Amino acid sequence: DAGVIQSPRHEVTEMGQEVTLRCKPISGHNSLFWYRQTMMRGLELLIYFNNNVPIDDSGMPEDRFSAKMPNASFSTLKIQPSEPRDSAVYFCASSYDQGALTGQYFGPGTRLTVT
Amino acid sequence: KNQVEQSPQSLIILEGKNCTLQCNYTVSPFSNLRWYKQDTGRGPVSLTIMTFSENTKSNGRYTATLDADTKQSSLHITASQLSDSASYICVVSGNNRLAFGKGNQVVVIP
């Protein structure tokens, strides 16, 4: 299995631009998570889906952030408009049954820099 | 206040030595506690998962302990290797929420 696939791996954009991050979870997993990681705040859960349905989006910072999961094999995290404080590494993770027993499998991350 | 506190924030150890990382939490109700290892530039990788009834769980040279009464966990690394240099993140699950520690940064030197 290729593991969780994220694209792009690096993104540099100017403030105000729209940014779309993509994730392909591991086949057969029914839970998908989006995280943000910074030096200051560590790892933060933004939102997670179970069976393609958003379950908890309380970690989404504000309306500029939105996430979708149109099918079991694809999810996007969109930031519009982007701001310099959004610069971070964004991880996607997937698991079976919310990872209660098996843990979550993380992708390699997308390093976002907003100038 | 963060619901998961890890200590020490960082440490340097000699190759071959043992070390212990601490995780204290206030999450309640408690479901499970996980330790992840994150190499630089990579996503976290699960090391252990423990539920309320489990006191100890091992994964190779990594041994995690859990005291649900005192809400404390530790991760012990035996005979450290250079490849153990990483950040170790404690994640506590409860009430369908996840709480994250900021990690213990471990550097193993030859």
Side-chain angles (χ1 to χ4, degrees):
Chain A
D1 198 317
V4 175
I5 300 173
Q6 290 187 247
S7 64
R9 293 294 309 277
H10 302 273
E11 177 80 30
V12 180
T13 190
E14 292 183 346
M15 180 174 64
Q17 297 297 308
E18 177 180 296
V19 174
T20 299
L21 312 181
R22 296 173 176 79
C23 175
K24 177 179 169 55
I26 292 173
S27 177
H29 283 184
N30 62 354
S31 295
L32 183 139
F33 307 77
W34 281 103
Y35 293 90
R36 178 174 66 179
Q37 187 176 42
T38 62
M39 288 291 292
M40 289 295 294
R41 301 173 67 92
L43 201 61
E44 302 172 282
L45 177 64
L46 300 177
I47 184 171
Y48 83 88
F49 296 83
N50 194 45
N51 293 322
N52 310 340
V53 177
I55 302 301
D56 182 2
D57 64 354
S58 59
M60 295 287 264
E62 48 200 90
D63 292 344
R64 296 185 299 106
F65 285 68
S66 62
K68 294 181 180 180
M69 192 164 186
N71 56 63
S73 60
F74 184 66
S75 177
T76 59
L77 177 68
K78 185 177 293 186
I79 309 173
Q80 165 66 19
S82 58
E83 297 181 3
R85 59 192 170 118
D86 301 330
S87 297
V89 180
Y90 290 82
F91 288 104
C92 175
S94 72
S95 67
Y96 179 72
D97 196 19
Q98 301 184 46
L101 297 178
T102 60
Q104 299 169 19
Y105 294 80
F106 283 74
T110 296
R111 181 172 295 277
L112 173 65
T113 303
V114 183
T115 61
Chain B
K1 180 174 168 59
N2 198 13
Q3 290 186 296
V4 179
E5 298 285 351
Q6 293 187 242
S7 63
Q9 184 175 0
S10 61
L11 76 160
I12 300 172
I13 58 174
L14 288 175
E15 186 179 10
K17 298 295 186 182
N18 303 336
C19 72
T20 300
L21 313 176
Q22 297 291 340
C23 173
N24 297 339
Y25 62 93
T26 59
V27 174
S28 182
F30 172 83
S31 178
N32 60 65
L33 184 147
R34 316 168 192 186
W35 282 95
Y36 285 87
K37 178 188 178 190
Q38 185 176 19
D39 293 318
T40 301
R42 292 179 173 271
V45 175
S46 179
L47 291 177
T48 62
I49 300 174
M50 289 186 291
T51 58
F52 184 87
S53 60
E54 296 175 294
N55 301 120
T56 303
K57 185 164 280 189
S58 292
N59 179 355
R61 293 179 298 101
Y62 300 102
T63 300
T65 65
L66 174 65
D67 186 335
D69 291 331
T70 62
K71 293 184 168 55
Q72 295 180 327
S73 176
S74 66
L75 181 69
H76 186 77
I77 305 175
T78 303
S80 61
Q81 300 178 358
L82 298 179
S83 59
D84 294 330
S85 296
S87 178
Y88 293 84
I89 303 171
C90 177
V91 183
V92 183
S93 173
N95 203 23
N96 284 326
R97 295 288 176 91
L98 295 174
F100 296 83
K102 293 192 175 180
N104 306 98
Q105 187 66 43
V106 174
V107 176
V108 181
I109 59 175

